[in-house]
Amino acid sequence: MAIKESKDLSKATHTRFYLPNSDRYVTVYLWEDVEYLIANIPEGDGDPNMGGCCCTSQFILRYVDGLYIPDIPVNVVGEIHLLKDDWTMEVVAHEIFHFIIKYTNMAGLNIYADREIEEHMAYLHGQLVNSIYKWLWEVNPPKSEGEV
C-alpha cells in the first residue's frame, strides 16, 4: 500500500518515530473514526471494519492536477494508521509487524537468510511497539485496564 501525501488531519493526532541511527521515520496517525482513516489512505485499501493499517512504499502518491503521481519520498518509510479509542496492544503490534515485513522487502533484505538482519528487525519491532504504545497511552489512554 503506497503512502498518500495529502491528508485531512482535522480529525487526527499524529507523530513521527525515527528509526534508530537514521533520519528516516514512520508516521503514526490516530484517527477519530474509520471514515477519516479510509479517506486518508490510498483509494480502495480501506475496510469499514479495519482497526488499523500500515502503508509503506518506495514512493508516495502526490496529488498533481487531479491525479495521484508516484514520487520518491525523502525520509518517510511508512505510516501506521490507528483508530482513537479502538487500539489495543494486539492491533499496535500487528500493524508494526506489517511495517517490518514491508520495510525489509522494500530495502531488499532477507530476514530468513541472515540471522543478524532478523535480530535487527526484531529489535526494531520491539522498539516501535514500545514507543508507539507509550505515545498512545499519552494521547488516548484506554478507558479501562481491560481494553488494552
Side-chain angles (χ1 to χ4, degrees):
M1 182 182 308
I3 295 172
K4 187 175 177 182
E5 182 190 39
S6 300
K7 293 180 179 53
D8 175 0
L9 298 177
S10 63
K11 294 205 176 188
T13 302
H14 67 286
T15 192
R16 292 178 179 171
F17 291 94
Y18 285 85
L19 303 184
N21 305 314
S22 175
D23 60 350
R24 297 187 177 269
Y25 60 86
V26 178
T27 305
V28 179
Y29 296 90
L30 186 62
W31 296 98
E32 295 280 333
D33 58 49
V34 72
E35 289 80 19
Y36 269 86
L37 187 160
I38 291 171
N40 288 284
I41 60 175
E43 192 172 322
D45 288 332
D47 175 342
N49 298 313
M50 67 192 318
C53 73
C54 168
C55 304
T56 56
S57 185
Q58 294 179 0
F59 61 90
I60 59 174
L61 295 176
R62 190 175 305 278
Y63 192 72
V64 179
D65 297 327
L67 299 172
Y68 282 103
I69 308 295
D71 194 10
I72 305 295
V74 178
N75 293 32
V76 63
V77 293
E79 297 177 344
I80 295 172
H81 298 263
L82 301 165
L83 291 172
K84 184 178 179 184
D85 298 328
D86 199 29
W87 58 270
T88 63
M89 175 63 94
E90 182 179 344
V91 171
V92 172
H94 174 101
E95 296 307 332
I96 295 169
F97 183 76
H98 282 304
F99 167 75
I100 294 295
I101 296 300
K102 292 176 182 181
Y103 179 65
T104 55
N105 288 337
M106 183 176 72
L109 302 173
N110 184 344
I111 61 173
Y112 306 108
D114 188 328
R115 176 142 169 66
E116 188 174 323
I117 292 172
E118 177 187 343
E119 196 65 21
H120 179 75
M121 292 298 113
Y123 276 117
L124 179 58
H125 181 264
Q127 291 166 343
L128 286 172
V129 168
N130 185 51
S131 297
I132 292 170
Y133 199 67
K134 284 181 180 178
W135 175 74
L136 287 167
W137 268 83
E138 290 174 15
V139 299
N140 183 226
K143 294 180 183 11
S144 72
E145 289 287 325
E147 293 183 24
V148 291

